[in-house]
Amino acid sequence: MSPTRDPVARAQRRLGRPLPLPGFLRRSLELRMVFAATVIGLLLVALLLFFVTSRISSEVFEDQRDVVLRDAQSRFSAAQREFDANAAVTVDEVNAVAQAQINSIKDSMAGSGGVGIIMERSQRETSPTVANNLKSDTDLNYLITPELRERVETDKGGGQYWQSVAVPDSEGGTDPGIVVGSRMNLPRAGEYEVYLIYSLESQQSIVSLSSRNITIGSLGFLAMIILVVWAITRWVLSPVRHTARAAERLASGELGERLSVQGEDEISTLAQSFNHMAASLEDQIERLESLSKVQRLFVSDVSHELRTPLASIRLAAEQIDDAREEISDPFALRSIEVLSNSVDRFEKMLTDLLDISRIDSGNVKLRLETIDLAEVVETVIETTMFHFKATGTTLRLHMPDTPAVAEVDVTRVERIVRNLVVNALEHGEGKPLDVTLAVDEDAVAVRVRDHGIGMSPDVVAKVFDRFYRADPSRQRSLGGTGLGLSISMEDAILHGGRLAAWGWPAAGSSFLLVLPREQGPDGAPGKLRGPGPLDLIPEDAPAVARAGAADAPGEHGTASLVSPLGPAPATRRARQTVVLGDIPLAGEVISPAAADKERETDRVVVRLPGDRSSTRTPAEAAEEARWR
């Protein structure tokens, strides 16, 4: 299923995905709570510091501004009175009076934070008597901005104007300050602009100290909040952790696991619910185990008990069959044939039931040996050759260059391959059958591919179920009990491997067996570390089938357009092999000219890696054209 058709994916996109979190936060709710408390606390501290500091700074500035303006007003008034009362006539006398007043203002305003005074002739003044411009500190001249000078010059009522500035301090930095300007009339010299410069260094120190204390107090309070959140979270989550550990022990098989119930709150309700669930599970599992044990014993006992009458029936059938030449009734002869076939099918069913019973009981141990799986495949082909001839099926055998050596239980792997081959013959409708063997560093794989009626996705999902038949009304030509593929799946799992199926209506089906090359210690199942050397979906599958499989990846694997065997050289020496009469089942020394030809004997075609596909039959060509 593609992501665009996945309702879960669509719901996630609609609702929005949560922000990604680091791994340590995803694994611990306790850490997430502490982390959230820390982040929220830091935001609150930052907001508190910003608003409180801003408020304190604003109030302190406004109060000090009023004080500075009143102080400047008193300085301007006192100096103007002195200028008005003075009878200076000459320029020197006017300069002396102005200098005295400037010095007096500078000395008196120091207690109010004053750091400098500047007196300059007004640009609009036209009096011929010109007094000197006076400055207590020439480095402060840049603090008088053109905007403030313009406002003072255009004033007509003798008012005063102020502006916030940054006053340099003794350490090379700056402190907030205020410049207050006003116009004054000097004797005979006319109008002059006077600017008083105040520093707010002491007020800034108060604001800084307040901000520092607020920050320290807020961080301390935040630390207390974090500790409290951590303690409460740990206290609340402690029963949850106990419940999780109890659930793990319950899942591991300790059915007697229970939680202690204390109090009547939500946590105690959780413990009671867990205990009730555990008790119910224990009761159900015990009942199921008892029922399963009875079922296994019944199947095993019935299977064993049926062997005795079955042996008698088989003996009687063989005796009757031996005397069939003396029987002339056609109906009786047909009955003998039906009886013999039914006895064979009954015996196979009993064998399968016993195997299923042993697997269910868990008493199966693999008899491991190291063998080349090519020998296993050849043995299976040899034992099923009669079925190939009976169904008129052409076998195309694809073998690797290197030995496919693995540690397996030969009997069980032979049974798996035999079941797959017989199943393919049953549903292959006489069309060619491909058996492919491949190997890589970690695994070996066998794929059985038929070109018969195929399977729908619903059938693929149930094909390994016990007693399942895709079409119960279809006549079976090779017998079968409905347990073969189920037993094959169990045998593959015992090896630590996997068995997967793929099919498409009218395009055939494919079964892939992948086994690890090495088993675990003491007969434990091996482990597969990758997808294996062979793809489940064959290269000649219809494009629509490959696209459908790519939309729904799962345990059945996905198709690959690249052959896992790769190209083969034109000449090579194959391994020694078993020969069935005139039918070669593996390779021989092949010349370049013979490499492109198929080796056919009794409809058995053997192909090595790199051999080109044989010419398709008219039915295959028509089928391929239809799918294209």
Side-chain angles (χ1 to χ4, degrees), residues 364-546:
V364 178
K365 291 185 179 180
L366 299 179
R367 298 180 180 179
L368 300 176
E369 59 179 292
T370 302
I371 190 173
D372 187 349
L373 256 68
E375 300 179 13
V376 176
V377 173
E378 291 162 359
T379 301
V380 171
I381 298 302
E382 179 182 359
T383 57
T384 57
M385 186 54 60
F386 171 80
H387 299 304
F388 280 95
K389 294 180 179 180
T391 58
T393 302
T394 298
L395 171 64
R396 298 192 294 217
L397 190 61
H398 308 259
M399 306 297 285
D401 290 332
T402 58
V405 178
E407 186 181 15
V408 296
D409 187 324
V410 177
T411 302
R412 295 185 181 277
V413 174
E414 282 185 3
R415 179 166 59 187
I416 297 175
V417 178
R418 185 182 300 108
N419 284 333
L420 298 183
V421 170
V422 172
N423 183 75
L425 290 172
E426 174 70 26
H427 300 87
E429 298 183 328
K431 296 180 181 180
L433 176 64
D434 292 286
V435 178
T436 305
L437 176 65
V439 61
D440 61 14
E441 295 181 356
D442 299 320
V444 293
V446 178
R447 184 177 67 197
V448 179
R449 160 56 161 151
D450 69 77
H451 300 79
I453 61 175
M455 295 185 293
S456 67
D458 293 338
V459 174
V460 172
K462 301 176 182 178
V463 71
F464 294 108
D465 293 349
R466 296 179 182 179
F467 298 105
Y468 177 77
R469 293 181 62 183
D471 186 3
S473 62
R474 186 172 181 272
Q475 182 179 0
R476 304 180 65 91
S477 60
L478 303 180
T481 63
L483 294 173
L485 292 178
S486 301
I487 295 175
S488 298
M489 174 64 77
E490 299 291 348
D491 287 336
I493 294 175
L494 289 174
H495 284 83
R498 62 175 177 267
L499 181 60
W502 168 88
W504 196 257
S509 59
S510 172
F511 286 82
L512 176 63
L513 170 66
V514 183
L515 300 175
R517 298 188 65 177
E518 295 181 357
Q519 297 297 312
D522 299 330
K527 293 183 179 179
L528 293 175
R529 298 178 178 85
L534 204 57
D535 291 325
L536 171 61
I537 302 180
E539 294 79 4
D540 60 348
V544 64
R546 290 196 297 269

Side-chain angles (χ1 to χ4, degrees), residues 198-274:
Y198 292 85
S199 174
L200 303 181
E201 179 182 2
S202 59
Q203 286 73 26
Q204 180 62 33
S205 299
I206 294 174
V207 174
S208 300
L209 180 62
S210 300
S211 300
R212 187 163 52 251
N213 291 334
I214 292 173
T215 302
I216 295 174
S218 300
L219 291 177
F221 184 69
L222 175 61
M224 293 178 60
I225 291 178
I226 292 174
L227 290 175
V228 170
V229 170
W230 175 76
I232 294 177
T233 305
R234 189 175 181 84
W235 174 64
V236 171
L237 292 181
S238 180
V240 177
R241 291 193 183 95
H242 291 313
T243 304
R245 287 193 291 268
E248 291 176 357
R249 289 191 291 269
L250 183 65
S252 65
E254 299 181 15
L255 301 179
E257 184 67 27
R258 298 294 185 272
L259 294 176
S260 60
V261 180
Q262 298 177 356
E264 299 178 357
D265 54 10
E266 289 81 358
I267 300 298
S268 63
T269 303
L270 174 63
Q272 293 175 357
S273 300
F274 178 87

